[in-house]
Amino acid sequence: RLYRKVAAWRAAVASSQGNRSALKAVSETVPALCAVLSSAEAGSDVQREALVTAAQLLSALEPGEGADELEEKVWPLVTAASNASDRSQLLSLIVPHSVERGVDELLKLEPTVLETLLNDPGGSLHASWNPAEVADAVADIVVGKRQENLEEIQMRMLAAVATQAAAFGKVAGQEQEEQWSKVLEKLGKYLFIALTDSVLVESA
């Protein structure tokens, strides 16, 4: 019964995309959704459905519409996951809808766990994320930290999304091209350096 209720909220969120008045009405479910996130059994279908619904709302809500309350519930659930595998599964549900924070959390995974996630092209992560948005989030992390070089795991994530760029671009069109242009502007010098690095050059 609770699962059906959360599924109905998720459907309402999906149908309200691009419609601010409809989304505002959906945002009224935030307190109830937060309550479900707090009480649902870890790893249950209800929790997974609630997390995806919350993530979709996070990508659409304006300040003051409940995003802060959802953030306070969603990310502690991810970081409190009992093991890295469970954490990666939760992140694969959330990252496509909350890219910036999600990518930051992905890069905190153990390299072997993240590698497994990145090498699963049929997984929910690859099926749902926007490659250019993910690459841009990685670029912002690199620039924000004022790194001298790309880290190996960052390079591998960029390589993973780059392999999907062509297929996704056929659907996204011009917008996708513009997003990738911004990524290259931010990371151009880092990619050039990667070509001279014996560890990074394979992914570059």
Side-chain angles (χ1 to χ4, degrees):
R1 183 177 177 181
L2 182 57
Y3 177 86
R4 289 197 297 271
K5 179 183 288 188
V6 177
W9 290 342
R10 181 180 176 186
V13 172
S15 65
S16 67
Q17 297 298 312
N19 184 331
R20 292 306 307 170
S21 60
L23 189 60
K24 185 172 178 57
V26 172
S27 71
E28 294 175 0
T29 65
V30 166
L33 182 58
C34 286
V36 172
L37 288 168
S38 296
S39 62
E41 181 181 351
S44 66
D45 289 342
V46 171
Q47 186 196 57
R48 290 170 64 88
E49 192 74 12
L51 279 169
V52 174
T53 304
Q56 289 176 332
L57 278 170
L58 284 175
S59 69
L61 292 177
E62 298 287 348
E65 292 181 340
D68 290 343
E69 291 88 336
L70 285 176
E71 289 269 9
E72 290 176 1
K73 295 295 182 182
V74 168
W75 295 113
L77 287 174
V78 174
T79 57
S82 58
N83 56 63
S85 178
D86 289 345
R87 194 175 306 123
S88 70
Q89 289 180 22
L90 294 178
L91 282 169
S92 71
L93 297 173
I94 298 170
V95 170
H97 309 289
S98 187
V99 178
E100 186 174 348
R101 174 68 184 271
V103 167
D104 188 45
E105 294 294 335
L106 278 175
L107 291 170
K108 295 176 184 177
L109 292 172
E110 289 292 328
T112 53
V113 175
L114 180 56
E115 198 71 31
T116 299
L117 202 59
L118 294 177
N119 290 333
D120 180 18
S124 60
L125 184 63
H126 288 266
S128 305
W129 69 7
N130 177 329
E133 286 184 359
V134 174
D136 194 47
V138 175
D140 285 343
I141 290 171
V142 172
V143 173
K145 290 181 177 179
R146 297 184 179 180
Q147 294 177 205
E148 293 186 3
N149 303 296
L150 287 166
E151 297 172 0
E152 183 178 3
I153 198 65
Q154 293 169 340
M155 191 67 245
R156 290 188 180 279
M157 181 171 283
L158 289 170
V161 294
T163 59
Q164 294 179 281
F168 192 92
K170 291 178 182 178
V171 179
Q174 184 66 30
E175 181 181 354
Q176 184 76 175
E177 292 181 16
E178 292 174 357
Q179 288 177 317
W180 277 108
S181 293
K182 291 178 181 178
V183 172
L184 292 175
E185 284 179 14
K186 296 175 183 178
L187 292 181
K189 69 175 183 179
Y190 294 99
L191 294 172
F192 180 78
I193 293 172
L195 291 172
T196 66
D197 187 298
S198 59
V199 175
L200 299 178
V201 67
E202 183 178 346
S203 296

